[in-house]
């Protein structure tokens, strides 16, 4: 290597180094928050982040930059466990946040009680998406196990949304059979015999149903179903709301260990609180999430949500019981697929 | 070996080119950093299970099924690739036709394309409402969301390996060899099977091994087209992801360790066959 070349490389290294220092200097002047979220919240947080940044600027004069990372809820939780420095997590399931709390100690065990409504500023439920005109006449859960019906739902082992689907089906069957869990298990076993494909995530299942033309019914988050209608045109699909479904509570939490290390606690707390404010509730309803306080949202938006009987996860003993019982290795879901069932 | 008077094995074969010690040192350091440390980390993590748990997990029916599907489909895909890869390489080496350059460049595309994109594209084609799927549907043939779909995806991602390993060897074969065979009275079939193919076998096996190894570990392109039904079309890498979703790291690494072990054994066997065939067919080289 010639000495001239070497000098050039050294110069370049210095330049890169100073650039890095420069960016660190910039970062100190304003706050950057990382919100680690799950898949279907993309559109919601895009709007919400912009609104919060504006409010933060007006209140404190500081500029706040919010980065949001999306992916399958379980995968996102694992990234945080493995060291992704999230200031806040907004995931699909309590169980995922519990896992972070247990594995890292960066979130206190009683995190759920720290914010209103079990730390769920918005909720959702599980509905059916069917093809236009509802050719198979699907009205309720009981119709899904009829001859010749194909149901699309993702794999509960890899998808948070699919776990809600599974429990919603269980809740209906239990109610229909006078609270008999064995009958409910029979129904759910039958239901999964009508599932030709187990996609790994909710978006994948939507694609299978919508683009690949597979199946007659898609079990979906209510917000995803409305989004599909909006994006694909209401002339191809329609939404069927069953008689009973489950109240899905996607929780949010502050990651204390990270915000204290980064010195972002104040902004991160304000960020989560803002989800509960008028503006946050309005945005949630606009993006088809059921707001915790409907009275704060736009009545036009809340009018879109059909009334139905919603059971909560508490009827399954909470996630701490439901998760191992239904979805752990060798749990009820694995039993369903055992050969000879 | 037989040429040397002393039969004692010596660590350093004297070589005309200096720098053996340095080269070996660099090689071992690099291998350790890039391959051995991550892999030993894997084995170390699964060692937290204990032997009985490890075996219970590995012999679990669902794991065995997933491993069978992963290795089986990868093997079938590698066989398909071996055949068509050799044919494709032959065409690219021996003939001149318009658009040859373009086709030659296209062979490498599966290397560059993100596997998820490949998976989604293939699923769109082979789904019951896709271009190819809709033609097969009336015949009662289902590709997407069955093990056949997995094979298609693995054929796609593995194709370049065989073509690119066989191509340079083919270019080395002189036309004169074929002419000599012809003058000695061999017909076309004999020339191919007795003269050309034996020379290509070692390279072909290398390509086969690479395509096979890639197929075993493939995840991205497969999960879109497989259907992922337990015991039917669930691949081992997906089972690893499922274990991770259960926050069960030891179980995930246990399955990975088994895959690693099986792959290593199979690659070792393939490489031995290759070494044997090289000895068998190389004319004194």
């Amino acid at each position: 290597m010639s000495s001239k070349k070497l000098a050039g490389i050294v110069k370049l290294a210095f330049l890169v180094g100073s650039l890095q220092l420069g960016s660190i200097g910039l970062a100190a002047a304003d706050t950057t928050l990382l919100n680690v979220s799950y898949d279907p919240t993309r559109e919601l947080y895009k709007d919400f982040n912009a609104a919060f940044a504006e409010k933060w600027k007006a209140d404190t004069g500081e500029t706040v930059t919010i980065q949001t990372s999306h992916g399958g809820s379980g995968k996102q939780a694992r990234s945080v466990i493995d060291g992704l420095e999230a200031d806040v997590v907004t995931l699909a399931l309590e169980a995922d946040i519990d896992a972070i709390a247990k594995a890292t100690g960066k979130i206190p065990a009683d995190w759920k009680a720290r914010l209103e409504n079990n730390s769920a500023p918005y909720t959702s439920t599980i509905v059916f998406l069917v093809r236009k005109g509802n050719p198979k006449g699907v009205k309720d859960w009981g119709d899904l196990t009829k001859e010749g019906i194909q149901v699309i739902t993702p794999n509960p082992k890899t998808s948070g949304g699919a776990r809600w689907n599974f429990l919603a089906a269980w809740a209906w069957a239990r109610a229909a059979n006078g609270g008999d869990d064995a009958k409910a298990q029979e129904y759910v076993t039958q239901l999964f015999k009508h599932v030709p494909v187990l996609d790994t995530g909710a978006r994948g299942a939507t694609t299978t149903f919508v683009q690949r033309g597979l199946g007659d019914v898609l079990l979906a988050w209510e917000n995803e179903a409305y989004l599909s209608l909006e994006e694909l045109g209401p002339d191809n699909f329609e939404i069927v709301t069953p008689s009973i479904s489950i109240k899905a509570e996607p929780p949010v939490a502050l990651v204390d260990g990270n915000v204290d290390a980064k010195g972002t606690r104040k902004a991160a707390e304000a960020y989560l609180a803002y989800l509960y404010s008028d503006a946050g509730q309005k945005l949630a309803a606009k993006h088809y999430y059921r707001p915790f306080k409907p009275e704060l949202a736009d009545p036009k938006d809340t009018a879109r949500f059909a009334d139905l009987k919603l059971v909560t996860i508490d009827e399954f003993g909470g996630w701490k019981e439901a998760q191992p019982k239904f979805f752990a290795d060798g749990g009820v879901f694995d039993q369903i697929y055992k050969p000879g069932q | 070996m037989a040429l040397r008077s002393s039969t004692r094995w010596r660590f350093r074969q004297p070589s005309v080119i200096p720098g053996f010690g340095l080269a070996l040192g660099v090689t071992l350091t690099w291998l350790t950093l890039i391959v051995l440390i991550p892999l030993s980390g894997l084995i170390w993590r699964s060692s937290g299970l204990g032997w009985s748990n490890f075996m219970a997990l590995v012999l679990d029916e669902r794991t065995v099924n997933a491993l069978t599907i992963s290795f089986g489909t990868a093997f079938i895909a590698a066989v398909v690739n071996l055949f068509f890869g050799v044919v494709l390489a032959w065409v690219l080496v021996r003939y001149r036709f318009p658009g040859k350059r373009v086709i030659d460049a296209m062979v490498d595309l599966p290397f560059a394309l993100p596997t998820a994109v490949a998976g989604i594209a293939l699923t769109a084609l082979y789904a019951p409402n896709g271009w190819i799927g809709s033609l097969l549907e009336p015949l009662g043939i289902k590709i997407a969301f069955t093990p056949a779909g997995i094979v298609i995806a693995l054929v796609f991602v593995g194709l370049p390996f065989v073509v690119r390993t066989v191509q340079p060897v083919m270019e080395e074969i002189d036309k004169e060899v074929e002419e000599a065979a012809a003058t000695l009275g061999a017909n076309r079939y004999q020339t191919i099977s007795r003269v050309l193919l034996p020379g290509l076998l070692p390279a072909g096996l290398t390509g086969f091994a690479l395509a096979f190894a890639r197929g075993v570990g493939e995840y991205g392109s497969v999960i879109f087209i497989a259907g992922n039904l337990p015991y039917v079309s669930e691949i081992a890498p997906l089972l690893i992801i499922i274990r991770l979703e259960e926050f069960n790291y030891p179980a995930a690494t246990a399955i990975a360790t088994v895959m690693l072990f099986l792959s290593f054994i199979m690659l070792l066997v393939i490489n031995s066959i290759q070494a044997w065939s090289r000895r068998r067919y190389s004319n004194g080289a």
Side-chain angles (χ1 to χ4, degrees):
Chain A
M1 191 178 306
S2 70
S3 62
K4 207 168 176 183
K5 228 181 186 170
L6 193 68
I9 289 178
V10 171
K11 260 196 200 132
L12 191 68
F14 268 113
L15 194 69
V16 171
S18 61
L19 275 176
Q20 293 242 314
L21 283 177
S23 64
I24 291 168
L26 272 177
D30 60 22
T31 319
T32 304
L33 290 181
L34 175 59
N35 172 5
V36 171
S37 192
Y38 64 116
D39 253 335
T41 56
R42 274 169 218 275
E43 295 78 9
L44 166 65
Y45 279 113
K46 205 172 136 216
D47 285 4
F48 180 79
N49 290 348
F52 176 74
E54 215 168 287
K55 177 173 185 327
W56 190 247
K57 182 97 185 164
D59 287 357
T60 65
E62 282 174 37
T63 310
V64 61
T65 316
I66 302 138
Q67 295 163 326
T68 313
S69 141
H70 296 275
S73 191
K75 194 173 96 221
Q76 296 291 81
R78 250 195 347 272
S79 305
V80 177
I81 288 173
D82 292 338
L84 182 65
E85 293 189 332
D87 298 276
V88 296
V89 285
T90 53
L91 297 173
L93 300 170
E94 222 179 278
D96 288 327
I97 300 186
D98 279 336
I100 299 171
K102 210 172 115 190
T104 65
K106 286 179 176 174
I107 301 174
D110 65 347
W111 61 270
K112 220 173 105 177
R114 295 196 297 182
L115 291 164
E116 282 178 286
N117 197 34
N118 293 333
S119 291
Y122 42 79
T123 62
S124 191
T125 184
I126 303 300
V127 296
F128 305 161
L129 194 67
V130 297
R131 310 212 175 266
K132 188 72 194 175
N134 197 356
K136 302 265 168 135
V138 174
K139 290 189 182 56
D140 208 347
W141 292 99
D143 300 328
L144 301 186
T145 50
K146 285 188 178 151
E147 190 64 35
I149 298 254
Q150 284 200 320
V151 183
I152 305 293
T153 174
N155 189 339
K157 306 284 282 194
T158 52
S159 153
R163 279 174 227 172
W164 292 112
N165 294 353
F166 182 100
L167 293 176
W170 193 285
W172 172 83
R174 189 158 62 184
N177 289 297
D180 187 341
D181 270 325
K183 284 252 169 48
Q185 178 157 347
E186 223 167 280
Y187 165 77
V188 174
T189 305
Q190 280 308 312
L191 176 65
F192 274 92
K193 284 200 170 50
H194 291 256
V195 177
V197 181
L198 284 172
D199 282 290
T200 50
R203 281 275 156 107
T206 306
T207 306
T208 297
F209 182 76
V210 169
Q211 314 281 3
R212 313 273 172 265
L214 235 75
D216 307 299
V217 185
L218 172 74
L219 304 184
W221 291 99
E222 185 173 51
N223 54 300
E224 282 274 289
Y226 278 105
L227 207 62
S228 302
L229 280 196
E230 191 181 297
E231 289 190 359
L232 308 159
D235 37 5
N236 293 324
F237 303 97
E238 50 190 75
I239 291 173
V240 173
T241 308
S243 63
I244 291 188
S245 194
I246 194 154
K247 184 180 180 188
E249 298 165 297
V252 303
L254 186 77
V255 188
D256 298 58
N258 290 342
V259 294
D260 290 341
K262 289 157 87 175
T264 49
R265 178 177 277 272
K266 223 170 97 218
E269 277 176 347
Y271 182 80
L272 291 184
Y274 197 57
L275 281 170
Y276 286 87
S277 73
D278 290 24
Q281 295 288 298
K282 269 194 180 60
L283 279 174
K286 180 175 165 241
H287 289 281
Y288 307 109
Y289 282 94
R290 296 186 176 217
F292 159 53
K293 295 178 184 150
E295 67 277 9
L296 299 180
D298 196 330
K300 187 167 90 269
D301 288 337
T302 47
R304 298 183 299 202
F305 301 121
D307 262 331
L308 71 165
K309 184 172 184 297
L310 290 175
V311 303
T312 64
I313 188 70
D314 297 332
E315 300 201 17
F316 293 92
W319 275 110
K320 280 191 176 53
E321 262 184 53
Q323 175 71 26
K325 180 181 163 194
F326 292 103
F327 308 117
D329 186 19
V332 175
F333 181 73
D334 283 349
Q335 298 292 325
I336 282 175
Y337 272 102
K338 273 259 186 287
Q341 276 275 319
Chain B
M1 294 296 270
L3 294 175
R4 289 222 315 271
S5 52
S6 99
T7 49
R8 196 169 56 86
W9 185 85
R10 290 162 62 195
F11 186 69
R12 290 189 59 167
Q13 305 278 348
S15 160
V16 215
I17 305 162
F20 170 74
L22 183 66
L24 185 72
V26 168
T27 306
L28 287 180
T29 310
W30 189 245
L31 256 182
T32 305
L33 276 178
I34 300 295
V35 178
L36 292 179
I37 289 179
L39 292 188
S40 53
L42 182 76
I43 292 165
W44 180 75
R45 262 217 122 132
S46 59
S47 69
L49 273 169
W51 186 248
S52 60
N53 280 343
F54 179 83
M55 285 321 282
L57 210 118
V58 169
L59 297 175
D60 172 61
E61 202 178 347
R62 193 164 165 189
T63 314
V64 172
N65 251 293
L67 287 168
T68 312
I69 288 164
S70 271
F71 281 86
T73 50
F75 189 84
I76 295 167
V79 170
V80 172
N81 271 329
L82 181 59
F83 179 76
F84 285 101
V86 169
V87 173
L88 190 57
W90 180 255
V91 170
L92 287 174
V93 169
R94 278 304 167 90
Y95 302 103
R96 295 174 59 185
F97 53 91
K100 178 177 157 173
R101 282 264 169 87
V102 178
I103 292 189
D104 199 25
M106 267 163 53
V107 169
D108 282 334
L109 278 183
F111 274 155
L113 199 66
T115 51
V117 175
I120 290 168
L122 289 169
T123 312
L125 279 179
Y126 287 98
N129 68 348
W131 289 351
I132 302 176
S134 58
L135 298 176
L136 297 172
E137 182 82 351
L139 308 172
I141 301 171
K142 279 196 163 55
I143 302 267
F145 315 120
T146 67
I150 304 178
V151 173
I152 298 263
L154 297 184
V155 166
F156 178 88
V157 296
L159 174 76
F161 289 102
V162 177
V163 180
R164 292 297 180 238
T165 48
V166 172
Q167 227 175 339
V169 182
M170 262 183 197
E171 275 160 4
E172 298 287 298
I173 299 175
D174 296 330
K175 265 230 154 64
E176 286 80 4
V177 178
E178 282 172 75
E179 286 160 6
T183 54
L184 292 168
N187 61 28
R188 201 71 192 117
Y189 168 74
Q190 282 174 316
T191 308
I192 289 175
S193 66
R194 314 264 311 257
V195 178
L196 292 174
L197 284 185
L200 293 176
L201 190 67
L205 280 173
T206 304
F208 175 87
L210 289 172
F212 173 75
R214 169 69 194 266
V216 168
E218 180 62 26
Y219 175 80
S221 62
V222 173
I223 49 161
F224 293 98
I225 200 166
N228 308 324
L229 294 176
Y231 303 98
V232 179
S233 56
E234 190 175 59
I235 53 168
L238 176 62
L239 207 52
I240 293 175
I241 300 281
I242 286 175
R243 294 290 172 250
L244 289 175
E245 292 286 337
E246 292 167 350
F247 301 102
N248 190 347
Y249 287 70
T253 47
I255 300 171
T257 307
V258 175
M259 288 184 80
L260 194 68
F261 178 74
L262 289 173
S263 302
F264 183 72
I265 298 284
M266 299 198 79
L267 291 176
L268 201 65
V269 169
I270 294 170
N271 280 334
S272 313
I273 297 174
Q274 196 198 331
W276 168 82
S277 69
R278 193 160 275 163
R279 274 201 306 277
R280 167 107 168 53
Y281 292 111
S282 64
N283 20 22

